[in-house]
Amino acid sequence: MTKTSIFVTGATGYIGGSVLTRLLAHPNASSFEITALVRTQEKAKLLEEFGVKTLLGSHSDIDKLEEVASKSNVVFAMANADDLGAAKAILSGFKKRYETTGEIPILLHTSGTGVLSDRADGLYATETVYSDLNISQIESLAPTQPHRDVDLVVVEAGRQGYVRTHIILPSTIYGLATGPLFDKGISNRHSVQVPALIKASWDRSQGGMVGEGKNLWPDVEIHEVADLYMILFDRATSDPTTPNGREGFYFGESGEYLMYDVCKAIAKALVEVGRGKSEEPTTFTQEDLNKYFGGSAYLGSNSRCRAERSRSIGWKPVKTTKDMILSIKPEIDELIRSGRISEKALPGRDQYY
Ligand SMILES: NC(=O)c1ccc[n+]([C@@H]2O[C@H](COP(=O)([O-])OP(=O)(O)OC[C@H]3O[C@@H](n4cnc5c(N)ncnc54)[C@H](OP(=O)(O)O)[C@@H]3O)[C@@H](O)[C@H]2O)c1
């Protein structure tokens, strides 16, 4: 039996590790040949123990990416939503595959609802709500929006017809990732935005927020994000009419939070662990924004959406914003337990969208 060759990027990461975990447990796993792009020999060795082939390299290895994509039926791109060169290399490999075999391969590309973000600076909630079923609304987004340059190249490849493209746009993912890849220290257990807020708040010994925290963002739990990838993978590989190309946008959203509420929960939890001064979050100064967020007020933006297309293919997330708020204290406890925040060591993230 011919195996389905699957290439994954970001396997040592939060999303990628969660999706790879699910691929390894998939009912058809024995018919998959999975190759993961890995940046270190040490992690490559550990991953191989799970029956995963590895390609040692990075997004800068354009030739390797092109070559492996040209041999893949499916690619899960989950490393960096903003790396145009890597996306182009994968698409170029797929084009070669199509031209030599006539097969139309499948791309599941990771973007994010940061593409919908505005510049509210934490001062107001927008009324604008995007739907992943409303393609003309998505097409009205400026090409300068976060992730959008890469998304546009992906959609254009889908339009040309040599690949079926599906773009998954998770929102604020929360919760600790679980499974053997995380237990073995191969993949990263933590998300981006909430840990970034925790990191900043921990360092200044006080929960903080951008502006007044009046902005809104969608949220989604990590295991339910992995569900979405799996449902889409199953659909795309069994039914070529699964929305793709221009229509192939899938938001990851199962609730919406007010930034103030998250910042308040962080402030409260920091008081509980003896680190925070007050349960009331205070506004990040410009100095704070420079120190922790590269000068950006991004975490004061709005990003509002409804994952209607994702639900239309059978995705049924059940977690709510209440679960997100409840996840904050365990997240802080785990960051402390694992030594990722302490007096000396702060979690080393420089990207938070
Ligand atoms: N987490 C969220 O809430 C969220 C929401 C929406 C969108 N996203 C986007 O999804 C993507 C993945 O996010 P994540 O939370 O899973 O991040 P993560 O935990 O930091 O994982 C990133 C993964 O990509 C790999 N990687 C990064 N740069 C690479 C490069 N140049 N070459 C090869 N591999 C590289 C990392 O490898 P190493 O282990 O070697 O560093 C790691 O496996 C990001 O673009 C992020 O913006 C995340």
Side-chain angles (χ1 to χ4, degrees):
M1 188 183 68
T2 322
K3 292 205 170 193
T4 305
S5 57
I6 301 173
F7 177 56
V8 303
T9 65
T12 56
Y14 180 62
I15 299 176
S18 301
V19 170
L20 179 56
T21 298
R22 295 290 297 275
L23 277 173
L24 292 170
H26 193 281
N28 301 335
S30 62
S31 69
F32 300 159
E33 186 173 272
I34 304 174
T35 304
L37 179 71
V38 191
R39 289 202 277 192
T40 67
Q41 183 74 61
E42 181 208 351
K43 289 207 171 173
K45 228 174 139 198
L46 289 168
L47 259 183
E48 282 161 12
E49 287 170 22
F50 287 85
V52 175
K53 287 189 168 182
T54 57
L55 174 65
L56 199 59
S58 81
H59 270 182
S60 310
D61 296 308
I62 299 298
D63 292 349
K64 285 188 186 177
L65 289 179
E66 195 178 294
E67 166 83 7
V68 71
S70 75
K71 293 182 178 151
S72 303
N73 301 113
V74 182
V75 170
F76 287 80
M78 302 174 288
N80 184 345
D82 300 302
D83 197 320
L84 191 56
K88 283 184 174 170
I90 288 166
L91 293 168
S92 161
F94 270 163
K95 194 169 190 185
K96 278 191 185 155
R97 182 173 185 86
Y98 174 69
E99 285 167 356
T100 51
T101 67
E103 178 205 318
I104 303 179
I106 293 170
L107 175 64
L108 282 86
H109 173 80
T110 305
S111 177
T113 66
V115 72
L116 313 175
S117 61
D118 64 10
R119 301 205 172 161
D121 290 349
L123 298 179
Y124 61 88
T126 184
E127 307 254 299
T128 308
V129 182
Y130 291 82
S131 165
D132 47 8
L133 286 177
N134 189 340
I135 292 308
S136 53
Q137 190 190 27
I138 291 174
E139 286 177 347
S140 73
L141 290 166
T144 47
Q145 285 294 98
H147 318 312
R148 188 70 181 151
D149 55 341
V150 180
D151 292 2
L152 286 171
V153 165
V154 169
V155 171
E156 171 57 20
R159 194 195 62 77
Q160 289 181 24
Y162 61 84
V163 51
R164 282 191 275 132
T165 60
H166 312 78
I167 302 183
I168 298 178
L169 302 93
S171 50
T172 297
I173 312 177
Y174 65 89
L176 294 167
T178 57
L181 299 179
F182 301 94
D183 297 341
K184 288 253 177 191
I186 298 170
S187 303
N188 163 39
R189 229 182 247 291
H190 299 275
S191 190
V192 181
Q193 289 178 335
V194 173
L197 282 166
I198 293 171
K199 165 188 170 178
S201 299
W202 175 276
D203 193 49
R204 67 205 281 277
S205 301
Q206 173 60 56
M209 60 191 167
V210 176
E212 295 168 23
K214 288 183 174 168
N215 52 308
L216 296 167
W217 261 76
D219 53 77
V220 62
E221 199 266 344
I222 182 61
H223 300 92
E224 296 194 330
V225 171
D227 288 343
L228 175 57
Y229 279 84
M230 283 305 103
I231 287 165
L232 187 51
F233 167 71
D234 286 341
R235 281 288 296 262
T237 48
S238 60
D239 177 3
T241 68
T242 303
N244 62 86
R246 185 172 171 251
E247 294 185 332
F249 283 80
Y250 297 85
F251 290 150
E253 162 276 325
S254 75
E256 185 174 72
Y257 66 95
L258 179 67
M259 189 59 78
Y260 173 83
D261 292 341
V262 165
C263 298
K264 168 93 182 167
I266 292 172
K268 194 165 174 285
L270 287 183
V271 169
E272 279 171 39
V273 299
R275 178 77 184 186
K277 292 196 266 287
S278 147
E279 292 191 1
E280 198 53 38
T282 58
T283 299
F284 290 124
T285 61
Q286 187 58 49
E287 200 185 12
D288 289 335
L289 295 179
N290 294 344
K291 183 171 178 187
Y292 304 117
F293 307 110
S296 161
Y298 182 78
L299 292 173
S301 66
N302 291 286
S303 163
R304 302 191 66 193
C305 70
R306 300 288 178 263
E308 293 172 322
R309 189 182 302 282
S310 297
R311 286 180 174 84
S312 78
I313 60 161
W315 184 54
K316 294 191 182 75
V318 296
K319 302 279 187 189
T320 65
T321 299
K322 198 171 164 213
D323 295 297
M324 183 196 194
I325 299 292
L326 287 173
S327 77
I328 288 172
K329 178 66 169 44
E331 182 93 47
I332 293 176
D333 290 343
E334 176 58 21
L335 284 167
I336 295 171
R337 192 203 60 77
S338 64
R340 292 187 70 185
I341 50 175
S342 67
E343 291 296 336
K344 285 186 192 144
L346 292 166
R349 304 295 286 252
D350 54 7
Q351 193 192 19
Y352 47 91
Y353 56 83

